[in-house]
């Protein structure tokens, strides 16, 4: 991987505040990321190719959403408090989607509410940044993106074949689950032991067995 | 006025703003994000803030003018302003917003009106001081050409 690999990484930033969008865009661009900003969770889902009528990944086949997902997004960073769809709602939708669940999601909030933070981390957020977000926070994003990239490289071509191999034919069973690896490195997570073991680790080990 | 003098003025003025709480560390963070490729970043963000703040102040005046005040709306607006003022380092405005939210929680209309007055006052002060700051910067650029290291 080259030194300027970051310039290939695309971050989707979601915030209803125009000031915060400008700020996060500058922070991300300074760190050499490609950036797209949107002002709502629904616009984010639109951008990600998740249509309004799509249920959770287990119901509908991923084929339709893949056809719409033209742009690759390597990380989603979203504000928590937004009118309509909150950052938490967006996080849930992403993690429930078979095609998007492997995209790391980071939550930002101006309010330091431990229960809120834990809820987001439990739902699969990689990090929780307190606003105002700083450059030092943005520097923490790379490991999360890199893990996804590395995994994608390793599993790239094998993906289609694996789908056919899966006994149930459910795409979700080969979803990439990163949480187990991240827990130890995420300093902001306060409930490492509290995460239920049957939630995602089981799927990951299923995948490992298939491979 | 020569460039050196202007620069000293700028430094002194900026220090004053930090000392008096008009600005906090976040403003410095913004300045660090400004470079040759993005020479107007701070001014652009601040301009967005001014526009947003004025809009919110107007909405608040409207909200509090109603027969039956919708405190949820008031709180939502103040929360917004608190967020954006925090993002640019406008400490004094942010502090008034915090008090405002408490008062709003108590459904105290009089208190809210007082807070709004205070916000308007702080906003006007902040705006004038930042404009002075940017003015000084512009003068330095004009007098000295491209900013030297």
């Amino acid at each position: 991987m080259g030194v300027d690999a970051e310039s290939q990484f695309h971050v989707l930033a979601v915030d209803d505040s125009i000031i915060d969008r400008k700020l996060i865009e500058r922070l991300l661009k300074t760190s050499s990321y490609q950036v797209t900003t949107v002002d709502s969770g629904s616009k984010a889902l639109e951008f990600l190719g998740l249509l309004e009528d799509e249920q959770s990944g287990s119901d509908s086949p991923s084929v339709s959403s893949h056809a719409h997902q033209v742009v690759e997004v390597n990380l989603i960073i979203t504000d928590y408090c937004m009118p309509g769809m909150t950052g938490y709602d967006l996080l849930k939708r992403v993690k429930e989607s078979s095609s998007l669940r492997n995209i790391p999601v980071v939550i930002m909030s101006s309010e330091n509410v431990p229960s809120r933070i834990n809820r987001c981390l439990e739902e699969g957020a990689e990090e929780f940044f307190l606003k105002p977000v700083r450059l030092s926070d943005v520097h923490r994003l790379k490991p999360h993106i890199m893990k996804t990239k590395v995994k994608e490289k390793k599993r790239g071509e094998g993906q289609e074949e694996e789908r056919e191999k899966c006994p149930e034919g459910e795409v979700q069973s080969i979803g990439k689950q990163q949480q187990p690896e991240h827990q130890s490195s995420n300093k902001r997570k306060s409930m490492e032991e509290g995460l239920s073991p049957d939630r995602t680790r089981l799927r990951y080990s299923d995948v490992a067995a298939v491979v | 006025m020569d460039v050196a003098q202007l620069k000293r003025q700028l430094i002194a003025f900026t220090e004053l703003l930090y000392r008096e709480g008009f600005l906090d560390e976040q403003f410095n963070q913004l300045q660090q994000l400004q470079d040759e490729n993005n020479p107007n970043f701070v001014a652009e963000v601040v301009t967005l803030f001014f526009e947003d703040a004025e809009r919110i102040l107007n909405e608040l005046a409207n909200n509090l003018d109603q027969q039956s005040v919708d405190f949820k709306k008031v709180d939502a607006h103040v929360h917004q302003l608190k967020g954006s003022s925090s993002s640019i380092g406008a400490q004094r405005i942010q502090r008034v917003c915090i008090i405002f939210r408490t008062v709003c929680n108590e459904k105290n209309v009089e208190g809210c009106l007082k807070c709004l007055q205070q916000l308007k006052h702080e906003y006007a002060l902040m705006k004038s001081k930042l404009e002075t700051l940017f003015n000084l910067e512009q003068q330095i650029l004009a007098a000295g050409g491209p900013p030297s290291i």
Side-chain angles (χ1 to χ4, degrees):
Chain A
M1 227 161 280
V3 177
D4 51 68
E6 281 97 321
S7 57
Q8 303 165 25
F9 298 147
H10 183 195
V11 178
L12 176 64
V14 191
D15 202 315
D16 61 317
S17 158
I18 189 169
I19 289 113
D20 288 346
R21 279 202 302 283
K22 181 136 182 116
L23 185 55
I24 195 72
E25 183 187 47
R26 185 87 291 275
L27 283 167
L28 291 166
K29 283 188 170 169
T30 293
S31 310
S32 303
Y33 293 110
Q34 243 188 291
V35 188
T36 298
T37 59
V38 292
D39 64 7
S40 72
S42 43
K43 290 218 182 112
L45 290 176
E46 229 182 277
F47 184 81
L48 292 162
L50 257 190
L51 301 173
E52 282 308 301
D53 52 15
E54 203 210 52
Q55 299 287 314
S56 71
S58 50
D59 296 354
S60 51
S62 68
V63 179
S64 51
S65 50
H66 265 293
H68 290 276
Q69 194 183 337
V70 196
V71 193
E72 193 194 353
V73 170
N74 304 114
L75 184 133
I76 300 166
I77 181 163
T78 177
D79 187 25
Y80 183 92
C81 277
M82 296 188 292
M85 191 183 287
T86 66
Y88 177 76
D89 297 327
L90 176 61
L91 167 68
K92 275 196 84 173
R93 290 290 298 270
V94 168
K95 293 304 169 186
E96 281 165 3
S97 155
S98 51
S99 52
L100 302 176
R101 68 158 58 101
N102 42 293
I103 301 177
V105 181
V106 170
I107 311 277
M108 309 178 275
S109 177
S110 55
E111 298 179 309
N112 189 351
V113 181
S115 56
R116 175 186 294 183
I117 297 171
N118 289 337
R119 206 159 67 110
C120 290
L121 295 176
E122 275 253 282
E123 199 58 43
E126 305 295 336
E127 295 258 6
F128 192 100
F129 292 159
L130 284 174
K131 283 179 162 183
V133 178
R134 300 188 165 188
L135 213 48
S136 52
D137 293 315
V138 175
H139 290 155
R140 295 158 71 132
L141 296 177
K142 198 162 145 224
H144 301 299
I145 293 180
M146 292 312 292
K147 279 187 178 163
T148 317
K149 272 283 167 186
V150 167
K151 276 208 201 120
E152 278 176 5
K153 272 209 160 167
K154 280 185 188 165
R155 298 160 48 85
E157 295 93 26
Q159 192 89 10
E160 251 102 81
E161 289 143 353
E162 278 167 8
R163 269 200 204 106
E164 286 155 33
K165 277 184 202 164
C166 283
E168 314 252 353
E170 295 291 335
V171 180
Q172 67 181 356
S173 59
I174 62 162
K176 298 182 259 267
Q177 301 302 337
Q178 303 170 72
Q179 283 86 333
E181 291 176 27
H182 283 186
Q183 279 161 18
S184 48
S185 59
N186 190 339
K187 290 178 194 138
R188 293 219 193 204
K189 227 178 249 200
S190 57
M191 284 179 59
E192 287 177 33
E193 289 86 35
L195 290 170
S196 51
D198 60 332
R199 193 166 59 88
T200 56
R201 286 179 215 170
L202 209 56
R203 285 195 201 137
Y204 189 72
S205 52
D206 279 349
V207 173
V210 171
V211 175
Chain B
M1 207 177 293
D2 67 357
V3 182
Q5 235 175 321
L6 283 169
K7 282 187 173 173
R8 278 196 297 275
Q9 257 199 349
L10 179 63
I11 290 171
F13 188 66
T14 308
E15 280 176 2
L16 181 70
L17 293 184
Y18 278 95
R19 233 181 7 256
E20 293 188 338
F22 285 102
L23 296 175
D24 66 22
E25 170 59 23
Q26 180 58 16
F27 191 78
N28 184 27
Q29 293 280 322
L30 291 185
Q31 289 179 313
Q32 287 183 27
L33 289 171
Q34 183 162 290
D35 58 22
E36 322 76 55
N37 297 320
N38 299 275
N40 301 311
F41 176 68
V42 182
E44 285 167 8
V45 180
V46 169
T47 302
L48 284 174
F49 172 73
F50 287 159
E51 288 167 359
D52 202 50
E54 278 167 37
R55 176 186 62 85
I56 290 174
L57 289 173
N58 283 334
E59 304 254 7
L60 283 171
N62 244 332
N63 292 148
L64 292 169
D65 202 28
Q66 304 300 315
Q67 279 280 45
S68 172
V69 175
D70 186 342
F71 288 102
K72 271 198 171 158
K73 273 197 182 153
V74 173
D75 184 69
H77 283 133
V78 178
H79 171 80
Q80 249 191 307
L81 185 57
K82 175 172 159 284
S84 53
S85 55
S86 154
S87 291
I88 70 154
Q91 198 186 71
R92 282 163 71 131
I93 293 176
Q94 189 191 351
R95 286 191 176 154
V96 179
C97 287
I98 292 170
I99 298 169
F100 203 148
R101 291 190 84 191
T102 308
V103 167
C104 182
N105 235 356
E106 296 164 1
K107 298 202 177 356
N108 177 355
V109 180
E110 268 312 303
C112 285
L113 285 167
K114 284 201 177 120
C115 282
L116 179 58
Q117 271 314 105
Q118 181 131 18
L119 267 185
K120 284 180 174 174
H121 175 71
E122 287 297 337
Y123 171 72
L125 277 176
M126 174 87 182
K127 186 159 191 227
S128 127
K129 293 194 190 282
L130 280 179
E131 279 169 354
T132 304
L133 187 78
F134 289 135
N135 213 313
L136 270 173
E137 285 183 344
Q138 289 304 313
Q139 283 183 61
I140 290 169
L141 281 172
S148 55
I149 309 110

